[in-house]
Amino acid sequence: MSEATDRAALINEAQAIIALGSKSFRSASALFDERTREHAWLLYAWCRACDDMTDGQQLGHSGKRSLGPKAAHRRIVALTEQALSGEETGHAAFDAIGVVAGECRIPRRAIDDHLEGFALDASGWTPKTEDDLLRYCFHVAGAVGVMMALVMGVDPADRDTLDRASDLGIAFQLANIARDIVADAREGRIYLPGIWIDEAGLNAEELADPRNGARIAPLAERLVRLSRQYRASAQVGARRLPIRCRLAVLAASNVYGAIGEKVVERGPNAWASRTVVSDSEKLEEFALALVQTFWPAPTARREGLWTRAA
Protein backbone atom coordinates (compact mmCIF):
# COMPACT_ATOMS: atom_id res chain seq x y z
CA MET A 1 0.00 0.00 0.00
CA SER A 2 1.44 3.41 -0.98
CA GLU A 3 1.95 6.29 1.41
CA ALA A 4 -0.78 8.25 -0.41
CA THR A 5 -3.19 5.33 -0.01
CA ASP A 6 -2.34 5.03 3.68
CA ARG A 7 -3.03 8.74 4.15
CA ALA A 8 -6.34 8.53 2.28
CA ALA A 9 -7.40 5.58 4.44
CA LEU A 10 -6.57 7.51 7.61
CA ILE A 11 -8.60 10.49 6.42
CA ASN A 12 -11.58 8.25 5.66
CA GLU A 13 -11.33 6.71 9.11
CA ALA A 14 -11.02 10.14 10.75
CA GLN A 15 -14.05 11.35 8.83
CA ALA A 16 -16.05 8.39 10.11
CA ILE A 17 -14.94 9.10 13.68
CA ILE A 18 -15.97 12.75 13.52
CA ALA A 19 -19.29 11.88 11.87
CA LEU A 20 -20.19 9.74 14.88
CA GLY A 21 -18.39 11.68 17.58
CA SER A 22 -19.27 15.31 16.82
CA LYS A 23 -21.87 16.39 14.30
CA SER A 24 -21.26 20.03 15.21
CA PHE A 25 -17.52 19.84 14.56
CA ARG A 26 -18.13 17.95 11.34
CA SER A 27 -20.53 20.66 10.15
CA ALA A 28 -18.07 23.43 11.07
CA SER A 29 -15.23 21.66 9.26
CA ALA A 30 -17.23 21.84 6.02
CA LEU A 31 -16.28 25.53 5.92
CA PHE A 32 -12.57 24.71 5.62
CA ASP A 33 -10.67 24.18 2.39
CA GLU A 34 -10.03 20.51 1.64
CA ARG A 35 -6.50 20.32 3.07
CA THR A 36 -7.41 22.13 6.30
CA ARG A 37 -10.52 19.97 6.66
CA GLU A 38 -8.45 16.79 6.36
CA HIS A 39 -6.00 17.99 8.98
CA ALA A 40 -8.82 19.01 11.32
CA TRP A 41 -10.38 15.55 11.01
CA LEU A 42 -7.05 13.84 11.72
CA LEU A 43 -6.44 15.99 14.79
CA TYR A 44 -10.00 15.45 16.05
CA ALA A 45 -9.64 11.67 15.69
CA TRP A 46 -6.60 11.64 17.98
CA CYS A 47 -8.17 13.98 20.55
CA ARG A 48 -11.34 11.89 20.59
CA ALA A 49 -9.42 8.63 21.03
CA CYS A 50 -7.38 10.05 23.91
CA ASP A 51 -10.51 11.36 25.60
CA ASP A 52 -12.39 8.10 25.17
CA MET A 53 -9.52 5.95 26.45
CA THR A 54 -9.17 8.17 29.53
CA ASP A 55 -12.90 8.07 30.30
CA GLY A 56 -13.56 4.47 29.28
CA GLN A 57 -15.96 5.64 26.57
CA GLN A 58 -16.48 5.17 22.86
CA LEU A 59 -16.96 8.33 20.78
CA GLY A 60 -18.02 10.24 23.87
CA HIS A 61 -20.55 7.65 25.04
CA SER A 62 -20.47 5.17 27.90
CA GLY A 63 -18.63 1.96 27.24
CA LYS A 64 -16.83 -0.85 29.00
CA ARG A 65 -13.58 0.35 30.56
CA SER A 66 -10.78 -2.05 29.65
CA LEU A 67 -8.04 -0.17 31.52
CA GLY A 68 -7.91 1.92 34.66
CA PRO A 69 -7.49 5.69 34.09
CA LYS A 70 -3.74 5.74 34.85
CA ALA A 71 -3.02 2.67 32.74
CA ALA A 72 -5.12 4.16 29.95
CA HIS A 73 -3.07 7.34 30.11
CA ARG A 74 0.20 5.42 29.87
CA ARG A 75 -1.20 3.65 26.81
CA ILE A 76 -2.20 6.99 25.24
CA VAL A 77 1.28 8.40 25.75
CA ALA A 78 2.96 5.28 24.37
CA LEU A 79 0.80 5.18 21.24
CA THR A 80 1.27 8.90 20.65
CA GLU A 81 5.03 8.58 21.02
CA GLN A 82 5.03 5.67 18.59
CA ALA A 83 3.03 7.66 16.01
CA LEU A 84 5.23 10.74 16.32
CA SER A 85 8.26 8.52 15.76
CA GLY A 86 6.82 7.51 12.40
CA GLU A 87 5.81 3.99 13.41
CA GLU A 88 2.42 2.47 12.67
CA THR A 89 0.44 1.95 15.87
CA GLY A 90 -2.38 -0.25 14.61
CA HIS A 91 -4.81 2.47 15.71
CA ALA A 92 -5.93 4.86 12.99
CA ALA A 93 -6.62 7.70 15.44
CA PHE A 94 -3.06 7.58 16.75
CA ASP A 95 -1.51 7.14 13.32
CA ALA A 96 -3.47 10.30 12.46
CA ILE A 97 -1.55 12.47 14.94
CA GLY A 98 1.72 11.41 13.35
CA VAL A 99 0.49 12.58 9.95
CA VAL A 100 -1.05 15.89 11.00
CA ALA A 101 1.83 16.79 13.34
CA GLY A 102 4.33 16.30 10.53
CA GLU A 103 2.35 18.07 7.82
CA CYS A 104 1.34 21.06 9.97
CA ARG A 105 4.56 21.47 11.96
CA ILE A 106 2.78 20.98 15.28
CA PRO A 107 5.43 21.30 18.00
CA ARG A 108 5.82 18.40 20.39
CA ARG A 109 5.19 20.85 23.24
CA ALA A 110 1.61 21.46 22.04
CA ILE A 111 0.92 17.73 21.91
CA ASP A 112 2.41 17.17 25.35
CA ASP A 113 0.38 20.08 26.71
CA HIS A 114 -2.81 18.31 25.66
CA LEU A 115 -1.66 14.97 27.01
CA GLU A 116 -1.14 16.67 30.38
CA GLY A 117 -4.88 17.36 30.50
CA PHE A 118 -5.61 13.64 30.23
CA ALA A 119 -3.05 13.00 32.97
CA LEU A 120 -4.92 15.40 35.25
CA ASP A 121 -8.23 13.65 34.54
CA ALA A 122 -6.68 10.21 35.04
CA SER A 123 -5.34 11.24 38.44
CA GLY A 124 -8.71 12.48 39.69
CA TRP A 125 -7.27 15.97 40.09
CA THR A 126 -9.52 18.87 41.08
CA PRO A 127 -8.64 22.60 41.03
CA LYS A 128 -8.16 24.52 44.23
CA THR A 129 -7.87 28.02 42.75
CA GLU A 130 -9.02 29.94 39.69
CA ASP A 131 -5.49 29.69 38.30
CA ASP A 132 -5.69 25.89 38.66
CA LEU A 133 -8.99 25.91 36.76
CA LEU A 134 -7.57 27.97 33.91
CA ARG A 135 -4.47 25.78 33.70
CA TYR A 136 -6.72 22.72 33.40
CA CYS A 137 -8.85 24.40 30.74
CA PHE A 138 -5.71 25.15 28.77
CA HIS A 139 -4.50 21.56 28.83
CA VAL A 140 -7.81 19.98 27.86
CA ALA A 141 -8.99 22.61 25.37
CA GLY A 142 -6.63 25.57 24.97
CA ALA A 143 -3.85 23.31 23.71
CA VAL A 144 -6.27 21.99 21.08
CA GLY A 145 -6.95 25.60 20.08
CA VAL A 146 -3.22 26.08 19.55
CA MET A 147 -2.98 22.94 17.41
CA MET A 148 -6.05 23.92 15.39
CA ALA A 149 -4.52 27.34 14.71
CA LEU A 150 -1.43 25.59 13.34
CA VAL A 151 -3.69 23.39 11.20
CA MET A 152 -5.23 26.60 9.84
CA GLY A 153 -1.84 27.90 8.81
CA VAL A 154 -0.79 30.13 11.72
CA ASP A 155 2.99 30.42 11.92
CA PRO A 156 4.37 28.47 14.93
CA ALA A 157 6.40 31.61 15.76
CA ASP A 158 3.27 33.81 15.96
CA ARG A 159 3.02 33.72 19.73
CA ASP A 160 0.20 36.22 20.17
CA THR A 161 -2.16 34.57 17.67
CA LEU A 162 -1.50 31.14 19.19
CA ASP A 163 -2.15 32.53 22.68
CA ARG A 164 -5.48 33.87 21.45
CA ALA A 165 -6.29 30.49 19.92
CA SER A 166 -5.60 29.01 23.35
CA ASP A 167 -7.95 31.62 24.82
CA LEU A 168 -10.78 30.35 22.64
CA GLY A 169 -10.28 26.78 23.81
CA ILE A 170 -10.26 27.99 27.42
CA ALA A 171 -13.49 29.92 26.80
CA PHE A 172 -15.12 26.81 25.31
CA GLN A 173 -14.11 24.68 28.28
CA LEU A 174 -15.38 27.20 30.82
CA ALA A 175 -18.77 27.20 29.07
CA ASN A 176 -18.79 23.39 29.07
CA ILE A 177 -17.99 23.27 32.78
CA ALA A 178 -20.78 25.75 33.56
CA ARG A 179 -23.30 23.68 31.59
CA ASP A 180 -22.22 20.37 33.15
CA ILE A 181 -21.59 21.26 36.81
CA VAL A 182 -24.26 18.89 38.11
CA ALA A 183 -23.68 16.08 35.59
CA ASP A 184 -19.93 16.14 36.22
CA ALA A 185 -20.39 16.15 40.00
CA ARG A 186 -22.60 13.06 39.72
CA GLU A 187 -19.65 11.32 38.04
CA GLY A 188 -17.32 12.46 40.80
CA ARG A 189 -15.73 15.18 38.68
CA ILE A 190 -15.43 18.63 40.18
CA TYR A 191 -13.93 21.32 37.97
CA LEU A 192 -14.98 24.34 40.03
CA PRO A 193 -12.14 25.75 42.14
CA GLY A 194 -12.29 24.50 45.71
CA ILE A 195 -12.07 28.09 46.96
CA TRP A 196 -15.21 29.02 45.03
CA ILE A 197 -17.09 26.00 46.37
CA ASP A 198 -16.09 26.78 49.94
CA GLU A 199 -17.14 30.42 49.55
CA ALA A 200 -20.55 29.24 48.31
CA GLY A 201 -20.92 26.90 51.27
CA LEU A 202 -21.39 23.88 49.01
CA ASN A 203 -19.89 20.39 48.88
CA ALA A 204 -19.52 17.76 46.15
CA GLU A 205 -22.76 16.00 47.09
CA GLU A 206 -24.75 19.23 46.91
CA LEU A 207 -23.20 20.13 43.52
CA ALA A 208 -24.59 16.86 42.16
CA ASP A 209 -28.18 17.77 43.07
CA PRO A 210 -30.03 20.06 40.63
CA ARG A 211 -32.36 21.07 43.45
CA ASN A 212 -29.48 23.24 44.65
CA GLY A 213 -29.60 25.22 41.42
CA ALA A 214 -30.12 28.55 43.17
CA ARG A 215 -26.83 28.11 45.02
CA ILE A 216 -24.98 26.68 42.03
CA ALA A 217 -26.11 29.36 39.56
CA PRO A 218 -23.77 32.11 40.87
CA LEU A 219 -20.81 29.76 40.36
CA ALA A 220 -21.89 29.08 36.78
CA GLU A 221 -22.28 32.79 36.15
CA ARG A 222 -18.76 33.33 37.46
CA LEU A 223 -17.47 30.77 34.95
CA VAL A 224 -19.34 32.46 32.11
CA ARG A 225 -17.98 35.88 33.05
CA LEU A 226 -14.49 34.41 32.81
CA SER A 227 -15.26 32.80 29.46
CA ARG A 228 -16.38 36.14 28.01
CA GLN A 229 -12.92 37.61 28.63
CA TYR A 230 -11.20 34.77 26.83
CA ARG A 231 -13.67 34.81 23.95
CA ALA A 232 -13.08 38.54 23.47
CA SER A 233 -9.34 37.94 23.18
CA ALA A 234 -9.88 35.05 20.76
CA GLN A 235 -12.02 37.25 18.49
CA VAL A 236 -8.90 39.30 17.75
CA GLY A 237 -6.88 36.24 16.76
CA ALA A 238 -9.71 34.86 14.63
CA ARG A 239 -9.54 37.91 12.36
CA ARG A 240 -5.99 36.92 11.40
CA LEU A 241 -7.08 33.58 9.93
CA PRO A 242 -7.86 32.86 6.27
CA ILE A 243 -11.44 33.88 5.56
CA ARG A 244 -13.00 30.41 5.54
CA CYS A 245 -11.23 29.45 8.77
CA ARG A 246 -12.19 32.82 10.26
CA LEU A 247 -15.87 32.15 9.58
CA ALA A 248 -15.73 28.66 11.09
CA VAL A 249 -13.93 29.84 14.23
CA LEU A 250 -16.25 32.81 14.76
CA ALA A 251 -19.31 30.59 14.29
CA ALA A 252 -18.00 28.08 16.83
CA SER A 253 -17.17 30.93 19.23
CA ASN A 254 -20.69 32.29 18.94
CA VAL A 255 -22.32 28.91 19.54
CA TYR A 256 -20.23 28.17 22.63
CA GLY A 257 -20.82 31.68 23.86
CA ALA A 258 -24.54 31.08 23.45
CA ILE A 259 -24.30 27.94 25.58
CA GLY A 260 -22.77 29.89 28.44
CA GLU A 261 -25.28 32.72 28.14
CA LYS A 262 -28.19 30.27 28.14
CA VAL A 263 -26.88 28.68 31.34
CA VAL A 264 -26.85 32.12 32.97
CA GLU A 265 -30.29 32.94 31.57
CA ARG A 266 -31.79 29.72 32.92
CA GLY A 267 -30.39 30.47 36.35
CA PRO A 268 -31.39 27.92 39.03
CA ASN A 269 -33.13 25.77 36.37
CA ALA A 270 -30.00 25.35 34.22
CA TRP A 271 -29.42 21.79 35.44
CA ALA A 272 -33.01 20.51 35.40
CA SER A 273 -32.24 19.50 31.79
CA ARG A 274 -29.22 19.82 29.55
CA THR A 275 -28.70 23.31 28.14
CA VAL A 276 -28.57 23.14 24.34
CA VAL A 277 -28.42 25.55 21.45
CA SER A 278 -31.13 24.66 18.93
CA ASP A 279 -30.51 24.31 15.21
CA SER A 280 -32.33 27.58 14.54
CA GLU A 281 -30.20 29.34 17.16
CA LYS A 282 -27.07 27.89 15.59
CA LEU A 283 -28.15 29.33 12.25
CA GLU A 284 -28.54 32.74 13.89
CA GLU A 285 -25.05 32.47 15.37
CA PHE A 286 -23.67 31.44 11.99
CA ALA A 287 -25.33 34.44 10.34
CA LEU A 288 -23.77 36.69 12.96
CA ALA A 289 -20.37 35.07 12.33
CA LEU A 290 -20.76 35.76 8.62
CA VAL A 291 -21.17 39.46 9.38
CA GLN A 292 -18.37 39.42 11.95
CA THR A 293 -16.02 37.86 9.40
CA PHE A 294 -15.94 41.16 7.53
CA TRP A 295 -16.00 43.49 10.51
CA PRO A 296 -12.75 45.20 11.57
CA ALA A 297 -10.90 43.29 14.27
CA PRO A 298 -12.03 44.28 17.78
CA THR A 299 -9.62 45.61 20.37
CA ALA A 300 -8.99 43.26 23.27
CA ARG A 301 -5.73 43.21 25.19
CA ARG A 302 -4.50 40.04 26.86
CA GLU A 303 -3.15 41.59 30.03
CA GLY A 304 -4.40 39.70 33.07
CA LEU A 305 -5.39 36.57 31.14
CA TRP A 306 -3.88 33.19 31.97
CA THR A 307 -1.07 32.50 29.50
CA ARG A 308 0.64 29.25 28.57
CA ALA A 309 4.33 28.83 29.31
CA ALA A 310 6.83 30.10 26.73
Side-chain angles (χ1 to χ4, degrees):
M1 185 179 293
S2 70
E3 183 176 339
T5 303
D6 285 345
R7 186 183 187 282
L10 281 179
I11 290 168
N12 287 338
E13 181 69 20
Q15 182 182 15
I17 290 170
I18 199 169
L20 292 173
S22 177
K23 293 179 181 178
S24 295
F25 192 94
R26 184 190 182 194
S27 297
S29 71
L31 297 169
F32 298 145
D33 62 88
E34 181 179 5
R35 191 74 169 174
T36 302
R37 183 165 56 248
E38 291 174 352
H39 287 145
W41 288 347
L42 292 169
L43 180 59
Y44 174 87
W46 173 71
C47 294
R48 176 81 271 164
C50 292
D51 198 29
D52 285 349
M53 287 179 68
T54 300
D55 292 341
Q57 298 180 330
Q58 185 172 4
L59 297 173
H61 304 290
S62 297
K64 183 178 180 181
R65 185 186 292 279
S66 58
L67 296 171
K70 292 183 179 179
H73 183 258
R74 290 193 294 271
R75 179 69 171 152
I76 288 166
V77 172
L79 288 170
T80 300
E81 180 66 41
Q82 192 175 341
L84 294 176
S85 299
E87 302 176 34
E88 290 189 12
T89 67
H91 297 265
F94 286 92
D95 291 338
I97 191 61
V99 172
V100 71
E103 293 182 357
C104 296
R105 296 191 298 158
I106 297 176
R108 178 60 187 265
R109 175 63 179 273
I111 293 169
D112 288 343
D113 278 339
H114 193 40
L115 289 174
E116 177 61 21
F118 298 116
L120 291 171
D121 278 334
S123 70
W125 173 93
T126 58
K128 293 182 173 60
T129 66
E130 183 177 304
D131 190 73
D132 290 341
L133 165 66
L134 293 168
R135 180 170 66 89
Y136 173 77
C137 289
F138 164 68
H139 285 300
V140 298
V144 178
V146 171
M147 290 187 283
M148 277 298 299
L150 295 168
V151 162
M152 295 178 196
V154 174
D155 189 322
D158 186 349
R159 174 82 191 185
D160 186 71
T161 300
L162 294 179
D163 283 343
R164 292 178 187 274
S166 169
D167 290 342
L168 187 58
I170 290 172
F172 285 2
Q173 189 64 23
L174 289 168
N176 279 340
I177 291 172
R179 179 191 60 196
D180 297 334
I181 290 172
V182 171
D184 284 336
R186 285 176 170 172
E187 296 295 326
R189 297 173 181 171
I190 307 295
Y191 298 116
L192 291 165
I195 291 175
W196 290 14
I197 297 171
D198 291 343
E199 289 174 350
L202 289 163
N203 58 39
E205 183 177 328
E206 290 167 330
L207 286 174
D209 189 343
R211 291 175 297 181
N212 294 315
R215 299 166 66 197
I216 296 170
L219 298 175
E221 185 171 0
R222 194 168 178 178
L223 288 168
V224 174
R225 284 201 304 270
L226 260 183
S227 74
R228 289 174 190 144
Q229 298 176 45
Y230 287 86
R231 281 186 63 230
S233 168
Q235 294 264 336
V236 177
R239 299 309 203 285
R240 301 169 185 168
L241 298 172
I243 192 165
R244 292 175 65 170
C245 295
R246 189 187 317 163
L247 175 58
V249 168
L250 290 171
S253 174
N254 290 347
V255 169
Y256 271 87
I259 290 172
E261 297 306 326
K262 287 190 77 169
V263 169
V264 172
E265 181 183 320
R266 294 183 72 191
N269 298 315
W271 303 277
S273 60
R274 185 175 174 84
T275 298
V276 297
V277 176
S278 68
D279 288 343
S280 61
E281 289 169 328
K282 288 178 182 177
L283 283 174
E284 291 176 5
E285 299 300 343
F286 177 83
L288 175 59
L290 189 59
V291 175
Q292 291 172 323
T293 297
F294 299 99
W295 282 355
T299 301
R301 302 175 67 85
R302 291 203 69 259
E303 281 78 359
L305 298 186
W306 190 95
T307 302
R308 63 200 176 102

